[in-house]
Amino acid sequence: MFLEIYDICKIITVKQNIFSRYQYPLVYKFLYNLQNTLAKDLEAGFILTSLSIKALKLFNKTNNSQSYKEFLTNESIYVGKIKKADIARELEIPRETIRRKLNLLQENDLINIKDNILEVKIKAFEVVDLNNILSNYSKGVKVVIDDMVDKNKINFNKELGNEYLATKFTTHWLYILNMFIEVGLIWKKKLKSIEGWLIFGTCALNQMYNLRDNRKFYKLHKDDTENYYLNMISKETSNGLNPTTIADLTGIPRQTVIRHLQTLVKIKALEKDKKNNLFHLPKAKEKKKNIIEGINQVNLCISSGIQKNLQLI
């Protein structure tokens, strides 16, 4: 079975409302884990994700696909020589920051670096609530598959559920991690930081849930990316979040949240309801262009990952 990336992206775009119900919680949970349970530092977690991709690429070359349970019986994955300058360039993070975060990851026993030789510990792949993450991913992929089957473009009778993904973990997780890096680089550039991505995404997720609870808005416009965004920012569904709640939902310290909120408001990614000290996606239509462009770029990255995962079946 072969699906073109742009065919997948078109389905996601015209079914943005349905697809986002799975993708938004998936991303939120992954970033929350990096911030609070794994690296306990979101930027360090982003770097760890990149190193984990390098490790999985090498692992998959010399091993058959392993289940999550089997994979965790390993101790570490030898990656080889790495250069901090290369990581800094790939992730668009200052070299000095890379050095500090690598030290943090090593202190947390997630990696080992000696003479620039890297090993990624299997502990780095212990994902809290993995079943939930894989379940949301598989449901999002099912949206694509069902659409193609309904239009008789493919004949597909296999179940790409979370249990299957966990059974073939090492091959599929590689492309899921790669999706997070590619998507993260897009939002990092537009929102100025990885923490800003989680804060912005948490506000978007809140508004998505508000939209879901106001079902009459589902038929307000034809379902596509732009109209989905317009539905989310409709006055009736745009209940914002205050800094304390955002800090509680993300695990990012409140003072850090406030600093990033100031930046997000300045670049018009979020708006502030000054009366209630609530932050939400901007309602003004003229401010949506940059965010819509970001979502469209993200959809392409997600589509590429879905294509690669489907080719493995």
Side-chain angles (χ1 to χ4, degrees):
M1 179 183 63
F2 180 77
L3 296 177
E4 293 287 351
I5 292 175
Y6 285 96
D7 288 337
I8 297 172
C9 190
K10 183 177 179 180
I11 295 169
I12 293 174
T13 298
V14 300
K15 293 196 170 184
Q16 192 76 59
N17 174 22
I18 299 171
F19 188 82
S20 295
R21 294 184 213 175
Y22 309 120
Q23 183 66 19
Y24 281 26
L26 163 68
V27 173
Y28 167 78
K29 187 64 179 179
F30 184 84
L31 294 178
Y32 182 89
N33 285 344
L34 294 181
Q35 171 66 29
N36 296 282
T37 63
L38 194 56
K40 297 185 179 178
D41 178 290
L42 196 51
E43 195 165 43
F46 192 62
I47 295 168
L48 180 62
T49 301
S50 177
L51 299 178
S52 298
I53 289 171
K54 299 179 190 302
L56 277 178
K57 284 181 178 178
L58 292 172
F59 183 88
N60 289 338
K61 281 183 179 180
T62 56
N63 297 274
N64 293 323
S65 179
Q66 289 190 355
S67 70
Y68 183 60
K69 185 177 180 180
E70 290 172 327
F71 185 59
L72 292 185
T73 63
N74 296 280
E75 293 185 2
S76 63
I77 303 174
Y78 175 85
V79 176
K81 192 169 185 178
I82 61 165
K83 294 182 180 179
K84 298 179 182 66
D86 290 342
I87 301 173
R89 183 173 58 256
E90 290 170 10
L91 301 182
E92 301 173 11
I93 296 173
R95 188 176 184 279
E96 177 57 27
T97 302
I98 294 291
R99 185 192 66 79
R100 288 190 292 104
K101 301 300 183 181
L102 288 177
N103 287 341
L104 177 62
L105 292 173
Q106 187 151 317
E107 289 169 6
N108 289 334
D109 198 33
L110 295 167
I111 64 172
N112 183 52
I113 299 179
K114 185 176 182 180
D115 298 327
N116 291 326
I117 302 299
L118 169 70
E119 282 185 321
V120 177
K121 302 290 187 71
I122 291 300
K123 180 181 176 181
F125 294 91
E126 293 178 357
V127 185
V128 174
D129 205 8
L130 177 67
N131 189 60
N132 181 275
I133 291 174
L134 293 181
S135 178
N136 275 306
Y137 184 80
S138 65
K139 288 175 182 176
V141 173
K142 191 174 186 298
V143 171
V144 173
I145 293 173
D146 287 350
D147 185 274
M148 299 295 277
V149 169
D150 288 344
K151 294 176 181 176
N152 295 316
K153 291 186 177 181
I154 61 171
N155 181 17
F156 189 85
N157 56 12
K158 297 180 181 179
E159 181 65 32
L160 188 70
N162 51 309
E163 290 184 6
Y164 169 82
L165 292 173
T167 301
K168 302 289 184 179
F169 175 76
T170 57
T171 50
H172 289 285
W173 191 244
L174 169 63
Y175 296 126
I176 294 174
L177 289 185
N178 197 65
M179 175 196 73
F180 279 110
I181 290 294
E182 291 181 351
V183 171
L185 287 173
I186 292 170
W187 286 124
K188 179 177 176 292
K189 183 175 181 179
K190 290 185 175 294
L191 303 173
K192 308 306 179 185
S193 68
I194 298 298
E195 290 86 357
W197 176 26
L198 178 54
I199 292 168
F200 169 82
T202 300
C203 291
L205 183 61
N206 173 65
Q207 287 178 228
M208 185 195 74
Y209 284 146
N210 289 334
L211 176 62
R212 185 184 65 183
D213 293 338
N214 288 269
R215 295 184 182 279
K216 62 182 179 180
F217 290 101
Y218 282 157
K219 297 182 180 180
L220 187 61
H221 299 287
K222 179 182 177 181
D223 191 8
D224 60 30
T225 299
E226 184 165 346
N227 285 331
Y228 174 66
Y229 179 82
L230 291 177
N231 287 348
M232 286 178 66
I233 63 175
S234 297
K235 182 178 179 181
E236 293 84 350
T237 66
S238 294
N239 299 324
L241 298 172
N242 63 44
T244 299
T245 300
I246 294 173
D248 290 342
L249 291 173
T250 62
I252 300 173
R254 186 175 183 276
Q255 285 304 117
T256 305
V257 166
I258 291 173
R259 176 166 54 83
H260 285 300
L261 284 172
Q262 292 171 346
T263 299
L264 292 170
V265 169
K266 184 177 181 180
I267 64 175
K268 299 180 180 180
L270 293 177
E271 283 184 352
K272 179 180 180 180
D273 178 348
K274 295 181 179 179
K275 181 179 179 181
N276 299 303
N277 196 31
L278 297 176
F279 294 82
H280 51 77
L281 274 62
K283 295 187 180 72
K285 293 182 181 180
E286 66 271 14
K287 297 179 182 179
K288 69 179 173 58
K289 182 179 179 181
N290 191 45
I291 296 174
I292 295 295
E293 288 176 349
I295 295 173
N296 287 333
Q297 291 173 20
V298 164
N299 285 347
L300 273 175
C301 293
I302 295 170
S303 299
S304 176
I306 289 175
Q307 182 200 54
K308 291 182 174 68
N309 269 326
L310 288 176
Q311 287 173 345
L312 293 173
I313 300 175

